[in-house]
Amino acid sequence: MAKALWTIALVLASSVLWLSASWAALIRVPQDHKSIQQAIDAAAPGDEVVVSPGTYKENVLIARPVLLRSSAGSSSTIIDAADKSLPAIKVDRASGVTIKGFSATGSNVAGILLTGASDVVLAECLATGNTSGIIMNRTTGSALRDNASNSNAQYGLYMEKSHNNTIERNAASLNQDKGFFISNSNSNAIIANNVNLNTWDGIMLYASTGNTVTGNKTLRNTYGLVISESPGNEVTDNTTVPNLFLILPIVLIYLGVVSYLVQKNLLKAIYKE
Amino acid sequence: MGAILELLNAFTNLTTLLASLGMILATSSFISGLQMVKGKGRVERKIHRGNGFIAFGIFGVLAITSFVTYGLSVWSVSGWLAGTLIIAFKLLIVHSRSRRAFKYVSWLGASLITMWLYLVYIHIPL
């Protein structure tokens, strides 16, 4: 009897799992809903919103666990902030959100703002032409992978009071202040990012502890890697000046001297000076 | 070994290759120019002029490439214009044949080498 009950329970549980997986609806923009926000508002937790290429003039607010992705990648799917005083994309106190393959631009706050969120995955997005590219505020357990945050008026990535996040293989270039500004944020993994050509610091850790900063490239910033009032971080294998910057000019000057001597002897032979 | 591979890999970028070639030619031109100041003959003059004019041509190509790729901005136009002015000023002094002005030619030559060093630096791929 007990065995039969266990079997029924097992079958019911697997049915519930299978049904919940198969019930995750697919909502298309603009086919099913004209705007991304309408699609998100119509989505149930766990649904997938797929956005076709185009420029969407709106401010997207996500407050439930949905998967928002573009069908053609960030180069052709652009969210341009309709209200410039709001972020182009905002994840507000939600858990389990995934955002993939968008460009976010035109905001006087941030291209992408994660606030009070957890378990967010942000991947393959581009944040450009905003005050800050990506802001994480009180966000935990999230992952930023393969994003680019370039040419913003302030920071490429600004983390404030955000803990246990993974920032991996992202790029932050040509921002007018810092590439990455990690402030009051602990136990984050900042791995294999390219943070180059920013006006001020490449990566700055301020009042943050227990972070792992490894395998990053911070080239041609005013300061590559700045750690201020931040004890207990693991900082290894980061590149601030590659060998090429030193070797190449020396090699070229040497080749210039050799080239002069070769030309001189050749011309001497021709003109028999 | 890693540094050599990194060095070779840098030359797969066309603008790096051009900037490097310009740096080599500018160095040859600079050395032959110094020899000319010492009073050496026609071989030095040919090396100086030949290398100098090709380097100037490469400078022009790099400037056009920069404008096509990144567009016109105040900083970029100012930078390339400043380089052109240094080259023009140097040619003007040389052609003026004034002994007084001639004293400063080696300084301008050094400025041109510094300019090429900067050009190589900004064209090293990240």
Side-chain angles (χ1 to χ4, degrees), chain A residues 196-197 219-220 242-245 247-249 251-253 255-257 259-260 263-264 267-268 271 273, chain B residues 3 6-7 10-11 20 23-24 27-28 31-32 35 41-44 46-47 51 117 120-122 124 126:
Chain A
N196 307 320
L197 296 164
L219 311 177
R220 294 191 203 167
N243 295 334
L244 195 60
F245 281 63
I247 295 168
L248 188 60
V251 168
L252 293 176
I253 288 172
L255 287 175
V257 174
S259 154
Y260 164 71
Q263 289 181 68
K264 186 179 166 183
L267 289 173
K268 264 187 178 172
Y271 292 107
E273 238 185 24
Chain B
E6 195 181 8
L7 195 64
F11 291 113
S20 304
M23 178 82 223
I24 293 169
T27 308
S28 297
I31 296 168
S32 52
Q35 297 296 319
R42 143 174 106 151
V43 165
E44 259 70 23
K46 283 192 182 299
I47 297 171
N51 289 263
L117 275 172
V120 167
Y121 170 75
I122 60 167
I124 293 173
L126 292 171

Side-chain angles (χ1 to χ4, degrees), chain B residues 10-74:
Chain B
F11 291 113
T12 55
N13 187 328
L14 180 68
T15 53
T16 310
L17 192 65
L18 281 175
S20 304
L21 194 61
M23 178 82 223
I24 293 169
L25 293 171
T27 308
S28 297
S29 183
F30 181 59
I31 296 168
S32 52
L34 289 176
Q35 297 296 319
M36 277 172 71
V37 172
K38 279 188 189 171
K40 294 272 175 89
R42 143 174 106 151
V43 165
E44 259 70 23
R45 195 167 67 242
K46 283 192 182 299
I47 297 171
H48 184 67
R49 281 188 174 178
N51 289 263
F53 278 114
I54 298 168
F56 183 42
I58 291 172
F59 178 85
V61 172
L62 286 174
I64 292 164
T65 313
S66 160
F67 294 144
V68 169
T69 314
Y70 301 107
L72 296 168
S73 71
V74 176

Side-chain angles (χ1 to χ4, degrees), chain A residues 18 30 53 63 65 67 86 93 105 125 129-131 139 149 175 192-193 218 233 242 260 262:
Chain A
W18 181 79
L67 193 166
L86 296 171
R93 285 167 289 179
T105 188
C125 288
N130 306 286
T131 296
T139 294
S149 187
N175 297 292
N193 299 285
T218 59
N233 295 289
Y260 164 71
V262 169

Side-chain angles (χ1 to χ4, degrees), chain A residues 27-66:
Chain A
I27 303 169
R28 293 183 186 281
V29 179
Q31 291 87 341
D32 301 329
H33 292 278
K34 287 273 177 262
S35 73
I36 300 170
Q37 190 59 58
Q38 285 171 354
I40 287 166
D41 291 343
D47 284 356
E48 183 176 353
V49 177
V50 181
V51 182
S52 296
T55 300
Y56 298 84
K57 193 105 182 142
E58 55 184 302
N59 301 93
V60 176
L61 173 65
I62 304 171
R64 66 189 69 180
V66 292

Side-chain angles (χ1 to χ4, degrees), chain A residues 160-267:
Chain A
E160 180 67 38
K161 293 174 185 153
S162 295
H163 315 299
N164 301 305
N165 300 290
T166 302
I167 313 296
E168 197 173 14
R169 297 189 307 272
N170 301 283
S173 297
L174 298 164
N175 297 292
Q176 297 299 309
D177 199 310
K178 299 172 181 67
F180 285 4
F181 183 29
I182 317 294
S183 168
N184 293 288
S185 298
N186 308 325
S187 308
N188 298 289
I190 298 152
I191 303 165
N193 299 285
N194 278 312
V195 189
N196 307 320
L197 296 164
N198 298 288
T199 305
W200 201 235
D201 304 333
I203 298 175
M204 182 179 191
L205 292 184
Y206 175 73
S208 301
T209 58
N211 297 289
T212 303
V213 182
T214 186
N216 301 287
K217 269 189 180 178
T218 59
L219 311 177
R220 294 191 203 167
N221 306 285
T222 303
Y223 300 103
L225 189 52
V226 180
I227 298 171
S228 173
E229 297 175 37
S230 301
N233 295 289
E234 187 187 331
V235 181
T236 52
D237 298 327
N238 299 290
T239 309
T240 50
V241 181
N243 295 334
L244 195 60
F245 281 63
L246 301 170
I247 295 168
L248 188 60
I250 294 167
V251 168
L252 293 176
I253 288 172
Y254 178 74
L255 287 175
V257 174
V258 171
S259 154
Y260 164 71
L261 291 172
V262 169
Q263 289 181 68
K264 186 179 166 183
N265 287 316
L266 275 174
L267 289 173

